[in-house]
Amino acid sequence: MDKKNLLNICSFIFLFSAISLFAVTSNDAPKSSTYEDECINCHIENDIMPEHFSKSDIHWQNGLSCAGCHGGNPNETDEEKAMSISNGYVGVPDKKEIPQFCGKCHSDLEEMQLFQPRIPTDQVSQYYVSTHGKQLKLGNMDVATCTDCHTTHDILPASDTRSTTYAINIPNTCDNCHGNSELMSKYNLESIQVAEYSKSVHGIALLEKLDVGAPACNDCHGNHGASPPGVISISHVCGSCHVNNMNYFNNSTKAVEFSDMDIKGCEQCHGKHLIHKTNDEMISVGEASTCTECHSEGDDGYIAAELIYGKLKKLSSLYDSTKVVSEKVNIMGMNNIEIEYSLKNIRQNLIQSRTLIHTFDTSQVFEKTNEGILASYGALKLADNEIAEYFNRRLGYGVAIFILILLAATLYWKIRSL
Ligand code: HEC
Ligand code: HEC
Ligand code: HEC
Ligand code: HEC
Ligand code: HEC
Ligand code: HEC
Ligand code: HEC
Ligand code: HEC
Ligand code: HEC
């Protein structure tokens, strides 16, 4: 390789590095294409940008710079003048003032509509109804305020997967404080909510299966009104997703009995944070029963639990047998279309019966289970017929083949003797 070529390659590498370096560093500079602003210029020059500042911040993205929140005159190059009270500079708010500080815009419908017509403007009023808000007003600085959940200079909409308020990240956001046992013991609160939640049917669905249809903390506690759902509202909280369970329960006499006894609806039998997958044993009179805590041998509730459990067991074992014979019919190559169809219905009956137990009314549950049991008998009979038909055909084939062989043999004999 001659000298000239080497020089060319070297200068190319130099140019390329310079361009990449420029691209990398210019990425850190403010997006001056959106706006020019002396607050930012001077703060960047003096390397006094706030900690954790990020340009993906939604306010930055919308062209709301430092002065939008902190006030002052963003066109002044002089530090004193830019950050003077006469120019509306408010500086850094105390924790107690943060809700109004953010509420300056977020409670102002006209201001918010300029940017996003659909964005709600009730965060601050909701916040002051929550335990956090009430406590902050009383001067408790341990509670969460806007910036504890949203960050201060790296605020992202909840739809952004990097956001502290994105469904999958919320348990972590709450855990910063609610998992701190020292902090929580000050308020006589446990610090296990997130740990328990993570092991629950909801936590596994959200955090492991990434199913955002499963509730995160805020779906049961509210985004801004975070307080424990009251005794009466628990079934509504759960019922926002489990609609049928709520309706059956609320229309049952049990709902009245529970509220008279100050018992917390769904929570009594399912728990609150460590909610598990359910099973039929929960409505038996055995170890795992949720009924025997209040009902004892001989009373109406005990008898109902025993009867319902019996029926559910019968239906589920009939479902299993039907499934087995349907498979068998299929392997034999016989017609199992109708059996498969029944099987789907029986499964539906079983699912619906398990939801219907929330009426705590044997007649309503039995109506559904009996439908399933009858359908199972029907399907089993169909399967029996198909299996019998199969063997009949096999017998038929056997006889036919025997006759054919006999014929062939006679024919052979005949030819030989000729
Ligand atoms: C010419 C430079 C300059 C300009 C322009 C400027 N600042 Fe500053 N700012 C500083 C310096 C230096 C500090 C840190 C020294 C201090 O604490 O006073 C500071 C501190 C701050 C602080 C923290 C104050 C505190 O109490 O900790 C805030 C908030 C702030 N500036 C916001 C703004 C806003 C908003 C603007 C535009 C309206 C602005 N600055 C314009 C130089 C500037
Ligand atoms: C969405 C509103 C908002 C915007 C926009 C904003 N700040 Fe702040 N800033 C706050 C709040 C609230 C605090 C105090 C609470 C805290 O520290 O969490 C604060 C604190 C500060 C502080 C002191 C604490 C620290 O972290 O160093 C400085 C300095 C500061 N901001 C500078 C700036 C600068 C410079 C900009 C523009 C690049 C800016 N802020 C944009 C809301 C905002
Ligand atoms: C100067 C007015 C103003 C102030 C002050 C302000 N915001 Fe905003 N905020 C906006 C605007 C405008 C948007 C953009 C709306 C949009 O496009 O979604 C926004 C967006 C947001 C979003 C995202 C909303 C979404 O789309 O899901 C959050 C969260 C947020 N702000 C929190 C805060 C917090 C916390 C504070 C106080 C530290 C604060 N804001 C202070 C004007 C403001
Ligand atoms: C305890 C945590 C928490 C606190 C405190 C909190 N937020 Fe939020 N915020 C959330 C969650 C969670 C969401 C929404 C998540 C979603 O939509 O799935 C949210 C959503 C928002 C939105 C988007 C619009 C909406 O209402 O859904 C804005 C704007 C907002 N918050 C501003 C604020 C302001 C202003 C404060 C202080 C008054 C505040 N938040 C306090 C957790 C909090
Ligand atoms: C900055 C710390 C902090 C963060 C973050 C936080 N909390 Fe809290 N929260 C507290 C403190 C401290 C209390 C206790 C206040 C009291 O009882 O006086 C509390 C109280 C509560 C209560 C009321 C408990 C009761 O029985 O009185 C609920 C519910 C709650 N928080 C839910 C949440 C949820 C949900 C999140 C996340 C979206 C969250 N918190 C994030 C600090 C925090
Ligand atoms: C499926 C609904 C649901 C979810 C999800 C949920 N909670 Fe709860 N939470 C409740 C119920 C119900 C209560 C109890 C209310 C009562 O007994 O009065 C409660 C109570 C609380 C309390 C009060 C103290 C206690 O332990 O009783 C805190 C704090 C709390 N939850 C935080 C959280 C946090 C943090 C998360 C997220 C990991 C979360 N919750 C998720 C339903 C839920
Ligand atoms: C935001 C919607 C939502 C809310 C609110 C909610 N759940 Fe769920 N729940 C789900 C989803 C989705 C699943 C299925 C999770 C999975 O298995 O993938 C589920 C599963 C369950 C299961 C297990 C069902 C089974 O097949 O065994 C029970 C029990 C349950 N939830 C009870 C509750 C109770 C009690 C509450 C109120 C304290 C509640 N849920 C609040 C969405 C919700
Ligand atoms: C008195 C106890 C009790 C109460 C109260 C109760 N459940 Fe259940 N729940 C059960 C039992 C027992 C099962 C299991 C049924 C089975 O699998 O045979 C169950 C099953 C479930 C299932 C899974 C089966 C299905 O329907 O998908 C969900 C979801 C559920 N319950 C939600 C709720 C909700 C929501 C509430 C409040 C509105 C509630 N439960 C109130 C005892 C209760
Ligand atoms: C927290 C206590 C409690 C639990 C748990 C409980 N019950 Fe009850 N139940 C009552 C009370 C109180 C009554 C009314 C007094 C009575 O008749 O014994 C009642 C009555 C009944 C009755 C009579 C009809 C009616 O509604 O008045 C049936 C049936 C019944 N319960 C079924 C069940 C079943 C099934 C379970 C389990 C899935 C269950 N109960 C769990 C407290 C409870």
Side-chain angles (χ1 to χ4, degrees):
M1 199 184 291
D2 64 18
K3 255 194 178 153
K4 206 177 151 205
N5 254 343
L6 201 67
L7 209 70
N8 270 344
I9 292 173
C10 281
S11 55
F12 175 75
I13 290 175
F14 176 77
L15 205 70
F16 182 74
S17 320
I19 290 171
S20 337
L21 200 68
F22 177 75
V24 168
T25 46
S26 66
N27 207 25
D28 285 344
K31 231 203 234 162
S32 51
S33 57
T34 35
Y35 52 87
E36 280 289 343
D37 176 323
E38 296 305 335
C39 315
I40 298 159
N41 288 345
C42 181
H43 275 258
I44 287 181
E45 260 165 39
N46 290 289
D47 199 17
I48 44 171
M49 286 297 274
E51 227 186 318
H52 307 303
F53 168 80
S54 156
K55 277 193 292 171
S56 21
D57 183 289
I58 179 122
H59 302 100
W60 175 282
Q61 293 289 330
N62 277 279
L64 291 166
S65 116
C66 325
C69 281
H70 291 287
N73 184 348
N75 302 320
E76 261 307 338
T77 46
D78 180 69
E79 181 185 331
E80 296 267 306
K81 284 188 193 151
M83 299 192 289
S84 76
I85 297 173
S86 59
N87 273 329
Y89 179 71
V90 290
V92 177
D94 283 343
K95 181 159 181 172
K96 202 175 167 183
E97 294 158 8
I98 289 177
Q100 289 97 325
F101 184 87
C102 309
K104 182 175 72 177
C105 302
H106 283 286
S107 302
D108 184 338
L109 191 60
E110 278 179 35
E111 168 82 25
M112 292 315 293
Q113 277 187 337
L114 292 177
F115 295 87
Q116 248 260 38
R118 279 188 317 171
I119 203 163
T121 47
D122 58 353
Q123 295 88 10
V124 178
S125 52
Q126 289 239 358
Y127 172 74
Y128 280 126
V129 176
S130 75
T131 307
H132 295 144
K134 283 182 190 155
Q135 284 295 315
L136 188 78
K137 232 177 200 163
L138 294 175
N140 180 346
M141 298 298 162
D142 287 340
V143 293
T145 188
C146 322
T147 48
D148 291 305
C149 293
H150 290 288
T151 80
T152 306
H153 298 106
D154 186 14
I155 298 177
L156 297 166
S159 53
D160 190 311
T161 55
R162 297 166 300 173
S163 171
T164 49
T165 53
Y166 178 63
I168 291 168
N169 303 331
I170 284 175
N172 238 343
T173 302
C174 310
D175 203 35
N176 286 335
C177 300
H178 284 282
N180 179 338
S181 57
E182 209 176 300
L183 179 69
M184 286 302 140
S185 63
K186 265 172 78 179
Y187 302 97
N188 266 332
L189 290 173
E190 291 181 304
S191 51
I192 49 169
Q193 294 87 8
V194 180
E196 289 202 330
Y197 167 81
S198 307
K199 285 183 276 173
S200 75
V201 63
H202 295 137
I204 290 169
L206 180 70
L207 304 173
E208 291 174 25
K209 300 186 204 154
L210 310 181
D211 168 9
V212 288
C217 319
N218 59 321
D219 289 302
C220 293
H221 290 289
N223 296 339
H224 298 108
S227 25
V231 172
I232 298 166
S233 64
I234 288 179
S235 69
H236 292 287
V237 166
C238 311
S240 63
C241 300
H242 303 288
V243 182
N244 290 333
N245 302 66
M246 173 184 73
N247 288 338
Y248 292 144
F249 176 72
N250 283 349
N251 291 325
S252 73
T253 47
K254 189 154 256 36
V256 182
E257 288 147 13
F258 270 29
S259 97
D260 286 348
M261 293 163 80
D262 240 10
I263 288 175
K264 295 164 179 165
C266 326
E267 190 186 338
Q268 162 71 29
C269 300
H270 293 289
K272 49 188 169 184
H273 298 123
L274 192 54
I275 294 172
H276 286 301
K277 230 181 159 45
T278 54
N279 55 55
D280 294 338
E281 306 308 313
M282 289 170 67
I283 195 161
S284 67
V285 293
E287 288 260 305
S289 168
T290 55
C291 316
T292 50
E293 201 167 308
C294 302
H295 292 289
S296 48
E297 211 168 340
D299 78 15
D300 287 352
Y302 192 94
I303 294 168
E306 252 179 334
L307 288 173
I308 293 175
Y309 177 71
K311 280 277 188 190
L312 286 174
K313 273 286 152 212
K314 180 163 185 185
L315 179 54
S316 70
S317 76
L318 276 170
Y319 172 72
D320 290 342
S321 328
T322 314
K323 213 166 146 183
V324 170
V325 292
S326 166
E327 193 80 337
K328 197 169 160 189
V329 170
N330 192 26
I331 290 169
M332 287 173 165
M334 302 298 284
N335 175 11
N336 76 337
I337 294 172
E338 217 171 313
I339 303 169
E340 279 289 311
Y341 181 74
S342 294
L343 204 56
K344 281 205 186 98
N345 283 338
I346 301 162
R347 196 177 122 79
Q348 220 37 49
N349 276 309
L350 193 55
I351 292 171
Q352 286 169 358
S353 303
R354 285 172 175 152
T355 306
L356 269 167
I357 66 116
H358 295 86
T359 59
F360 305 98
D361 175 1
T362 44
S363 62
Q364 287 191 59
V365 180
F366 291 173
E367 202 180 311
K368 202 40 86 186
T369 43
N370 286 343
E371 223 176 82
I373 290 169
L374 274 179
S376 305
Y377 288 148
L380 286 171
K381 187 141 196 336
L382 273 177
D384 273 352
N385 290 346
E386 289 296 327
I387 292 167
E389 173 72 15
Y390 172 80
F391 284 114
N392 277 343
R393 283 189 201 165
R394 289 249 308 221
L395 194 68
Y397 289 145
V399 173
I401 287 167
F402 179 74
I403 292 170
L404 275 176
I405 291 171
L406 210 68
L407 261 163
T410 348
L411 212 65
Y412 177 73
W413 266 103
K414 259 268 164 359
I415 293 165
R416 274 220 38 183
S417 58
L418 280 172

